[in-house]
Amino acid sequence: MEIAQLNIYPVKSLQGISLSQSVLQEHGLAWDRRWMLVDAQQRFVTQRQLPALATIGVELTDEHLVLSHSAVDSLRLPLTEPEGNLRLVNVWNDHCKARPESEEVTRWLEAALGEQAQGLSLVRFATEFSRAVEEDFLDGGAAHTYFADGYPFLITTTGSLDALNQALVDGGQSPVPMNRFRPNIVIKCDQAWAEDRWVTLSAQSGSFQLTLRKACKRCKIITIDQQSAAMPAPAEPLETLVVLNTQPTLKGAHFGQNATLLVGAGGVIRVGDALSAVIREI
């Protein structure tokens, strides 16, 4: 097995960035989910409420976060920490401390997306604050993350996508690309659903080790085209995943595994890294 893709999503629910390598940090890949959009009540806003967020491109330079959209000129935000008072924002049931970016972002979003983006603002995770991962699946350990839904890493495999796409085609639907699932680490692995039995995933070089914690329950975002924000086949591939029932003891649709970093913080992870897994005994 080896790493086929590495992806980060600097702004939660906007387009991702594919990388050839990244720095491993306990809270995720470097710059992943560092920013987030919030509404006037300071609650997180994602493609669940606003699918058009999928049309906003994201780029990182040495000095800037760059947002782009076909309707407006690009917006460049300095990577240096913004000034201003800390703000309390919500991700699901978590209260997180964040720093607001300039109001220029709000105006830019409204120009790009229209009235549906009215009142949104962009905040940056305050790194002096720690957001803990739920303890239920950590076997007595601890982990933290930034603005990800719940875990610092999301791992998927090519074999599982192939199996899902075969089921979609067999059902008269079109196959979907991996970006529908917004993974951080994509593993080249021919066996479908193999990741659901992995306990740990390690670089053969010994440079890092990830612990797989919890199957990722999927939502309507996987029905949204991650470039156009269209929904080509409403409820797909969500419905097909439910039928496949890849997690028989759990309700809903699942694809991929949430993970935490056990070894290797500060090291580099690369596309092409050879991997080995410890498999859970049945």
Side-chain angles (χ1 to χ4, degrees):
M1 296 187 299
E2 65 179 35
I3 295 177
Q5 294 178 30
L6 293 170
N7 305 293
I8 60 171
Y9 309 87
V11 184
K12 185 177 181 69
S13 236
L14 303 193
Q15 289 180 13
I17 302 173
S18 294
L19 304 172
S20 60
Q21 65 180 48
S22 183
V23 176
L24 283 164
Q25 298 171 341
E26 289 184 355
H27 53 70
L29 298 179
W31 295 107
D32 190 48
R33 271 83 170 199
R34 193 64 195 278
W35 288 268
M36 179 175 74
L37 294 169
V38 295
D39 61 18
Q41 287 71 46
Q42 306 308 308
R43 286 200 57 84
F44 75 124
V45 175
T46 72
Q47 292 179 34
R48 297 174 185 89
Q49 300 87 20
L50 190 56
L53 296 180
T55 63
I56 299 178
V58 180
E59 181 185 354
L60 285 173
T61 70
D62 290 340
E63 296 181 350
H64 293 91
L65 170 74
V66 184
L67 304 182
S68 61
H69 190 275
S70 59
V72 290
D73 292 335
S74 297
L75 178 67
R76 302 170 70 87
L77 300 171
L79 294 184
T80 53
E81 294 279 351
E83 297 180 357
N85 295 328
L86 286 174
R87 182 184 296 183
L88 202 61
V89 298
N90 295 336
V91 186
W92 297 112
N93 295 321
D94 291 342
H95 302 286
C96 306
K97 292 181 181 178
R99 286 188 167 82
E101 298 287 354
S102 73
E103 293 182 2
E104 182 184 8
V105 181
T106 299
R107 295 190 292 271
W108 186 89
L109 288 167
E110 291 175 357
L113 302 181
E115 186 177 344
Q116 60 186 337
Q118 188 171 359
L120 296 184
S121 57
L122 184 68
V123 298
R124 183 189 311 217
F125 195 94
T127 53
E128 64 268 35
F129 168 78
S130 182
R131 178 182 172 221
V133 170
E134 59 182 352
E135 297 179 355
D136 299 11
F137 298 89
L138 298 183
D139 296 325
H144 62 278
T145 188
Y146 285 165
F147 287 138
D149 270 0
Y151 284 79
F153 301 92
L154 177 60
I155 297 173
T156 62
T157 67
T158 57
S160 294
L161 182 66
D162 289 344
L164 171 59
N165 279 335
Q166 186 60 58
L168 285 167
V169 171
D170 290 346
Q173 302 291 336
S174 298
V176 296
M178 187 66 86
N179 69 2
R180 288 284 187 96
F181 303 95
R182 301 177 66 83
N184 296 118
I185 303 171
V186 180
I187 310 302
K188 184 179 180 182
C189 171
D190 293 337
Q191 183 181 352
W193 323 117
E195 66 274 20
D196 294 337
R197 291 185 57 205
W198 295 341
V199 179
T200 61
L201 192 63
S202 304
Q204 289 187 3
S205 66
S207 61
F208 63 82
Q209 184 179 70
L210 295 152
T211 302
L212 284 75
R213 300 293 188 176
K214 182 184 181 183
C216 184
K217 188 173 183 179
R218 311 314 303 219
C219 67
K220 66 176 284 187
I221 288 179
I222 68 171
T223 70
I224 301 170
D225 184 292
Q226 291 299 298
Q227 296 293 323
S228 68
M231 297 183 189
E236 288 293 359
L238 208 53
E239 287 189 352
T240 296
L241 275 176
V242 171
V243 172
L244 286 172
N245 194 25
T246 61
Q247 296 286 332
T249 63
L250 301 174
K251 293 182 178 180
H254 295 82
F255 188 92
Q257 287 280 333
N258 291 295
T260 60
L261 185 66
L262 192 63
V263 175
V268 176
I269 185 172
R270 296 177 174 85
V271 170
D273 279 350
L275 303 170
S276 58
V278 172
I279 299 175
R280 180 180 295 106
E281 295 182 3
I282 297 176

